[in-house]
Amino acid sequence: MNPCEYSALREATGHLSRLGLSLQTVIPVALPAESYPATRKNSSTGQREIQRDKNGKPLPAYAGKNPSFWKADGTPTQTSHRKAVDEAELLARIDIAERLGKPIGLAVIPSTDVVVIDFDRKNYPSQEACDREWLGLLDLYPELTQTRIERTPGGGVHIYVRPADGMASWRNAAGKRHCNFTTVPGGEHRGEVLAGTRVCVCAPTRNGAGAYELVNPDHAYSLVEVRALGAIGIYPRARATGSTTKPPQRQSRTTSTPPQGSASATPALAELIGSKARDVLAGGCPYRGSEGAAVDRSAQLTGFVKELYSWVNLLDAHGLRFSGSPDDLIQQAVAVLAIEDKADRVLATIDLDHCRHRDSDAALRRYQRLSSGSVGTPGSSGSPGSTGAPPAAAGQGKPTLQQALEELAAAGLSGSELSFRLERIAGDHDRGLRDVQGLYRELIQEQEASLDADDSLDQLEQLGGTVDLDVSSLIPPVLLEALEAIRRTAEFQHSTLLAVLLAGFSAALPLRSSIELDPSEDFSQPLTLWVLLLMPSGELKTPLLSRLLVQPWQQSVDGVVEQAHRRQMQEWELRKLDADNGAGPPAGPPPRMPQTLITEDLTVPGVEVHLEIHDKWANRSVCIWLDEAAATLRQMADPGRAGKDATLGGWLLSRYDGTGARGAKVDQSRERQYRSCRLAMVAGCQPEVYREITGDADQSGLSARFIVIEQLSVQQHFPTSCSDEDIRQAEALKQLLIRCYGALARQEQLQLRLTPEAFELFQAERAAMYQRKRASVSAAERSLANKAAGRIGRLAALFHLLWCLAERAEGPISLGNGLVGVEAMQRAIRFNRFLLDQTVGVRLTSAGNSELGALMLRLQRVAWEKKIPLSLSTLRRALSGKQRPESNEVLHALQVLQERGYGELEQMEYKGQPGWRYTATKPLLASS
């Protein structure tokens, strides 16, 4: 018996996607905690520890409702509830679960456009009471009978509606959205309104307790719009205001009030904290600027407390005075965030003693400026027992110097108007003009540096969030198993293996091979791919190409070509014999032996000779292998040479679309005649060299033509014995590739086209790529999206061939009826998105783009690979390139990474000198 109705899940996926709902998958049953325990990082040790209940038993990581799915190898993996996946990815996950015989389910990600009213059975004394309430709601508001309603296995109910007010009526005074609801104003808690904070498992998912069932199947895919939730009797239930939050336990410090008439003032803690922390007190959500995190109240409170105690710890360490209570400020933040229900749990996760300021020197300079003459409001320079409220809110309401400068920065003034305002502020606060100008410049620089760092990391995190495709699911199971013969000793990424194989398949095809994508536009593509492997030296590129291309190629494609050449020679000899006997016309020159895999004489005249031979005698594609392609890539990247000068790179670039060469040349010795050409290519390059080559413009479209795969290291194993099974697996892989390459080489021509369903999916993806291009502000992303359609078509055709060939274990191989279906198109779209995001990541960290983003990525990769604490100087020395960044730039990048949870930055002492060391805790922009 199947653990779930896979066909019903596929049908629901299509209908819910067309409704515009964001979807995710869930593993709908709890997995054994012993095998899959929940873990959390220990802030002191940096190690992940198993979470246990009060009896010491491990807590499960998979409870049946968290977003998750099965990988092709049968292991479960979790994903983010904020990240929706497209229909193609959902269907692929369902396919994998069905093949494995594993349970899988669907979940809706609600939003302010479509919310789910979740009646919870546990909030009622009986099932009858729960049913009476929600059925009574339908009696009062009969329009709800025409919207999607589900019953949960636990007896609860989900009611889906579209609130016309965008949930504006459900925000509290601080601007935060309520979650809990009641059906009577001021009444009992009845459930939650899900509007973007978590996923909602939906029908037809089945868990261990039963199935999520549709109450009204006739309206399963209808969503009723309501003016507001209050208009259908759903009201927010707020917590009682009398509850208090226990502040973090920490020994309070005492400060003395400055002497009467002292020239210096004691800065208020509320005045010292940064703009993000003050934004929290004002009702904003500045921490973790990625999409969705702005509504994460836990992240706001965590960021606020860490900023607050970075100041407290710094001032304590230097014996400096301040006014205001950190506990009072935390209570104020908790109240503004309306997070009383879980504030204690959030605060318990923060190690106050280890909160450190990003730049202690800059912080001390700020303190000195504010304490040397800053005039606060009455009561702002009090004793430790003062309230800690922001000075502007007390006394006569006069803004502090810092607040005045921040308001000025927000106004965006310039020129004489800015000079006059600075002079006025200096007078109002009894400060020198030059001192105020220096403070203003420092403030602007800090804001710009913070924005630059946040923007750079946001872009990388957004890309990293999309790179969760299980590439192994795109490879036929028979081939995937065979490839383990390579991965047993060298753990190449599945994306690296797949890219090389697809390039090999494309190179084995005949000249007349293409796919028709849109007949109305006369839009067709040749079936050739160019693959670029970004890998450092010594990472086994050549052995990989030997096993996946060269060795099987010699016994398949070369054999077919040699056999055809022998036939041609026999026919030519007969014609020559007739000509010699006067029985026929001259036989002409003898046929030349073609080469299909070219690694030598890679010059323009040399390659043109090969293309002419293939066009005239062989009808084959040509595969070029460039082991170190830096020089050729530099020629390709020069738009002044691309396709015009006789450099190899520029000449190759113009042959991407299979353009032939006809007509006379000035130098007759260089004349070539060939109607068409098919050039497949596999090239290698150092990652940092490629980044320097492409820069931020890439005006020739170099990176848009290559499938770019980056793998910085290959984990190698060195077994001390080799079993018969190991030898059998290696030989099985070789024979499978010989069989596949040989079947393609025997084709005389191959003309493919899309089925109507695949064409519909292709056009939808073209539209999505167009919208992505229009929405992006990145020149790198726009240029790559421009050429995505053609590459998707090529990939779809090659995935069609890959699965047709590899899945047929024996007997004659059929390439189908020339139609490329939906499954091949889905695989192409998923792989193209993966490739596009990875290539955009490379481009974003190339020379001329985000230098800070590139620096953070390189530092994190070095630190993550080593997985041990590394000193700042060690990290700086590990960075390759012509010019290493300055130490302060490296420190700034590491501070930003620490703020966003990618590692821990600690102070250290080396040979009596203070320094820093950094430990990575998770990867940034990890590839599959």
Side-chain angles (χ1 to χ4, degrees):
M1 178 179 177
N2 286 336
C4 59
E5 295 295 334
Y6 301 107
S7 59
L9 288 170
R10 292 188 184 94
E11 181 182 356
T13 297
H15 287 301
L16 293 173
S17 296
R18 284 187 282 277
L19 275 178
L21 296 177
S22 299
L23 301 174
Q24 257 292 359
T25 53
V26 296
I27 297 175
V29 296
L31 301 183
E34 292 76 13
S35 303
Y36 306 103
T39 61
R40 186 169 63 188
K41 189 184 75 172
N42 185 309
S43 59
S44 301
T45 65
Q47 303 296 318
R48 298 200 68 85
E49 297 178 348
I50 296 177
Q51 300 301 293
R52 302 181 182 275
D53 61 18
K54 61 182 180 181
N55 297 319
K57 295 183 178 180
L59 297 173
Y62 297 86
K65 291 188 176 182
N66 43 334
S68 49
F69 58 94
W70 298 98
K71 290 185 176 181
D73 60 3
T75 58
T77 185
Q78 294 179 331
T79 186
S80 172
H81 74 272
R82 298 193 182 97
K83 181 173 59 183
V85 291
D86 59 26
E87 182 178 353
E89 175 66 16
L90 292 168
L91 294 174
R93 292 181 182 179
I94 295 171
D95 290 344
I96 292 173
E98 183 176 23
R99 188 167 70 246
L100 297 170
K102 299 285 190 181
I104 194 75
L106 284 178
V108 171
I109 305 177
S111 65
T112 54
D113 297 324
V114 177
V115 305
V116 178
I117 304 168
D118 182 7
F119 284 85
D120 200 334
R121 162 66 184 84
K122 70 176 182 289
N123 292 323
Y124 293 87
S126 66
Q127 184 66 59
E128 292 75 15
C130 178
D131 292 343
R132 190 164 51 248
E133 181 118 78
W134 71 266
L135 288 171
L137 196 71
L138 267 58
D139 290 337
L140 290 172
Y141 308 99
E143 65 269 25
L144 295 180
T145 61
Q146 300 179 28
T147 198
R148 181 183 177 92
I149 303 177
E150 303 166 337
R151 181 180 287 281
T152 71
V157 168
H158 296 162
I159 301 178
Y160 292 66
V161 294
R162 293 185 185 273
D165 66 346
M167 296 294 285
S169 59
W170 267 62
R171 295 190 179 275
N172 60 22
K176 305 299 176 184
R177 199 164 48 244
H178 294 284
C179 179
N180 298 339
F181 76 85
T182 179
T183 55
V184 179
E188 294 295 321
H189 175 210
R190 293 309 188 195
E192 292 78 39
V193 172
L194 308 181
T197 57
R198 68 192 81 173
V199 300
C200 175
V201 182
C202 65
T205 301
R206 176 182 293 274
N207 65 16
Y212 289 78
E213 299 176 337
L214 292 168
V215 173
N216 51 349
D218 291 341
H219 300 284
Y221 304 110
S222 301
L223 300 174
V224 168
E225 183 175 274
V226 298
R227 179 172 53 82
L229 294 189
I232 56 171
I234 302 297
Y235 307 99
R237 182 181 184 275
R239 286 175 56 91
T241 57
S243 62
T244 60
T245 299
K246 183 180 178 181
Q249 294 301 310
R250 177 182 168 93
Q251 183 178 1
S252 61
R253 58 167 291 191
T254 58
T255 58
S256 58
T257 305
Q260 189 79 15
S262 171
S264 64
T266 302
L269 195 55
E271 186 180 26
L272 288 167
I273 57 177
S275 57
K276 286 187 176 181
R278 289 196 302 278
D279 193 13
V280 170
L281 295 178
C285 302
Y287 289 101
R288 297 188 182 272
S290 59
E291 183 179 357
V295 298
D296 188 343
R297 297 175 299 160
S298 300
Q300 307 313 312
L301 183 59
T302 300
F304 176 85
V305 173
K306 287 185 175 180
E307 163 73 9
L308 180 67
Y309 269 90
S310 67
W311 278 101
V312 172
N313 293 335
L314 178 70
L315 299 179
D316 275 346
H318 289 80
L320 299 174
R321 297 174 300 178
F322 64 87
S323 64
S325 165
D327 294 343
D328 289 345
L329 289 178
I330 292 174
Q331 290 287 358
Q332 184 180 346
V334 168
V336 169
L337 292 168
I339 197 176
E340 294 88 350
D341 55 336
K342 57 178 179 179
D344 291 339
R345 295 198 302 272
V346 174
L347 295 173
T349 65
I350 305 173
D351 188 348
L352 301 180
D353 291 329
H354 285 81
C355 294
R356 293 290 182 267
H357 207 282
R358 287 178 53 182
D359 188 341
S360 57
D361 291 337
L364 290 173
R365 288 196 299 272
R366 179 194 292 273
Y367 178 89
Q368 291 168 358
R369 289 192 178 97
L370 292 175
S371 62
S372 62
S374 169
V375 180
T377 55
S380 66
S381 57
S383 65
S386 60
T387 64
Q396 301 175 359
K398 177 182 177 181
T400 65
L401 175 59
Q402 183 173 346
Q403 290 169 333
L405 291 177
E406 287 174 348
E407 291 174 2
L408 179 58
L413 302 180
S414 61
S416 58
E417 189 174 4
L418 174 62
S419 301
F420 290 140
R421 287 285 297 274
L422 285 171
E423 190 172 354
R424 186 185 311 159
I425 291 173
D428 290 344
H429 292 81
D430 195 22
R431 301 289 295 270
L433 177 59
R434 182 166 297 182
D435 192 16
V436 172
Q437 290 173 334
L439 278 170
Y440 181 74
R441 282 194 299 271
E442 184 179 325
L443 176 64
I444 294 297
Q445 290 170 357
E446 287 180 358
Q447 291 179 346
E448 290 177 349
S450 178
L451 286 174
D452 182 26
D454 286 343
D455 288 345
S456 300
L457 203 49
D458 284 347
Q459 287 180 312
L460 292 175
E461 284 183 339
Q462 183 179 0
L463 288 172
T466 62
V467 183
D468 69 342
L469 170 65
D470 182 8
V471 177
S472 64
S473 66
L474 304 179
I475 304 174
V478 173
L479 181 56
L480 184 65
E481 181 181 357
L483 287 171
E484 290 304 310
I486 292 178
R487 286 172 51 83
R488 185 178 70 88
T489 56
E491 294 185 25
F492 288 97
Q493 298 168 170
H494 285 109
S495 56
T496 304
L497 300 172
L498 179 59
V500 174
L501 285 172
L502 291 177
F505 273 51
S506 73
L509 288 167
L511 279 177
R512 293 183 294 276
S513 57
S514 63
I515 180 169
E516 184 181 61
L517 298 174
D518 189 343
S520 64
E521 299 180 8
D522 193 22
F523 182 21
S524 299
Q525 287 287 298
L527 302 186
T528 50
L529 282 186
W530 291 3
V531 171
L532 178 60
L533 302 179
L534 300 184
M535 300 173 67
S537 296
E539 296 298 336
L540 307 181
K541 291 194 299 291
T542 302
L544 174 67
L545 267 293
S546 177
R547 295 187 67 176
L548 290 186
L549 275 182
V550 179
Q551 293 180 17
W553 201 272
Q554 291 170 345
Q555 300 181 41
S556 56
V557 180
D558 285 351
V560 173
V561 171
E562 288 171 6
Q563 185 179 7
H565 178 67
R566 284 195 298 269
R567 259 193 331 265
Q568 291 168 351
M569 283 299 297
Q570 291 171 357
E571 294 171 357
W572 177 82
E573 288 171 353
L574 291 175
R575 291 196 304 271
K576 186 175 184 301
L577 183 60
D578 289 343
D580 291 344
N581 294 331
R592 297 182 62 178
M593 178 67 184
Q595 293 183 25
T596 54
L597 188 60
I598 305 173
T599 58
E600 298 177 351
D601 193 17
L602 289 174
T603 62
V604 173
V607 178
E608 281 197 323
V609 168
H610 289 294
L611 297 181
E612 188 174 8
I613 293 173
H614 278 264
D615 183 68
K616 189 172 183 178
W617 284 296
N619 184 32
R620 312 295 335 145
S621 300
V622 173
C623 184
I624 294 178
W625 163 233
L626 287 169
D627 185 52
E628 185 50 64
T632 304
L633 293 173
R634 282 194 172 91
Q635 295 164 3
M636 288 184 176
D638 186 347
R641 293 185 175 182
K644 298 178 181 179
D645 201 356
T647 58
L648 179 63
W651 180 87
L652 286 174
L653 201 65
S654 64
R655 266 67 181 172
Y656 177 74
D657 290 320
T659 305
R662 299 182 66 111
K665 295 184 178 180
V666 174
D667 182 358
Q668 294 184 6
S669 66
R670 294 177 58 204
E671 286 189 9
R672 300 284 177 257
Q673 295 286 336
Y674 51 94
R675 291 164 296 178
S676 60
C677 63
R678 291 290 183 270
L679 274 176
M681 190 186 313
V682 182
C685 188
Q686 303 280 335
E688 298 309 320
V689 173
Y690 178 74
R691 283 176 165 83
E692 181 267 325
I693 291 172
T694 57
D696 62 338
D698 188 20
Q699 297 174 7
S700 66
L702 163 62
S703 58
R705 287 171 168 83
F706 278 93
I707 287 179
V708 180
I709 299 291
E710 183 172 27
Q711 182 166 0
L712 296 181
S713 64
V714 177
Q715 183 68 38
Q716 299 181 42
H717 306 285
F718 305 95
T720 56
S721 62
C722 186
S723 66
D724 293 340
E725 178 62 19
D726 297 333
I727 298 173
R728 187 199 64 78
Q729 286 184 346
E731 184 63 22
L733 172 62
K734 183 177 179 180
Q735 292 303 320
L736 177 60
L737 294 178
I738 290 173
R739 178 178 173 80
C740 293
Y741 290 146
L744 294 174
R746 284 187 287 272
Q747 302 294 316
E748 290 300 321
Q749 64 177 4
L750 189 63
Q751 306 299 326
L752 301 175
R753 64 184 188 279
L754 302 177
T755 64
E757 296 80 9
F759 177 72
E760 181 181 355
L761 190 58
F762 173 66
Q763 291 294 83
E765 184 64 9
R766 289 181 72 184
M769 287 292 106
Y770 177 72
Q771 293 301 326
R772 176 171 178 170
K773 181 186 73 172
R774 296 189 62 185
S776 176
V777 298
S778 164
E781 188 168 8
R782 288 197 303 273
S783 65
L784 290 168
N786 278 334
K787 286 190 171 291
R791 186 163 71 177
I792 291 171
R794 299 183 189 208
L795 288 172
L798 291 169
F799 273 117
H800 168 75
L801 298 175
L802 179 68
W803 282 73
C804 283
L805 294 171
E807 287 291 272
R808 186 64 182 262
E810 56 185 21
I813 293 178
S814 170
L815 299 183
N817 56 4
L819 293 176
V820 175
V822 170
E823 290 186 349
M825 181 57 69
Q826 288 172 341
R827 294 183 182 108
I829 289 172
R830 292 163 59 207
F831 193 43
N832 182 71
R833 289 187 176 184
F834 168 84
L835 295 169
L836 180 62
D837 290 332
Q838 189 169 78
T839 308
V840 169
V842 173
R843 290 284 305 281
L844 286 174
T845 55
S846 294
N849 275 301
S850 172
E851 295 180 1
L852 181 57
L855 179 58
M856 287 190 289
L857 180 60
R858 292 160 64 194
L859 289 169
Q860 190 67 15
R861 281 177 168 172
V862 171
W864 177 248
E865 182 179 357
K866 300 303 180 185
K867 292 186 173 61
I868 59 172
L870 298 175
S871 68
L872 187 148
S873 58
T874 301
L875 279 169
R876 183 169 173 265
R877 287 196 303 272
L879 299 178
S880 59
K882 296 179 180 178
Q883 185 175 359
R884 291 192 179 99
E886 297 295 331
S887 296
N888 61 334
E889 295 174 328
V890 174
L891 180 59
H892 179 211
L894 295 176
Q895 289 166 342
V896 175
L897 288 167
Q898 177 184 241
E899 280 189 345
R900 300 286 276 265
Y902 286 95
E904 296 178 353
L905 185 63
E906 304 173 294
Q907 286 186 315
M908 58 173 288
E909 185 173 314
Y910 179 70
K911 294 183 178 180
Q913 298 296 322
W916 296 89
R917 65 183 175 191
Y918 179 76
T919 307
T921 56
K922 64 179 180 180
L924 173 61
L925 197 62
S927 57
S928 172

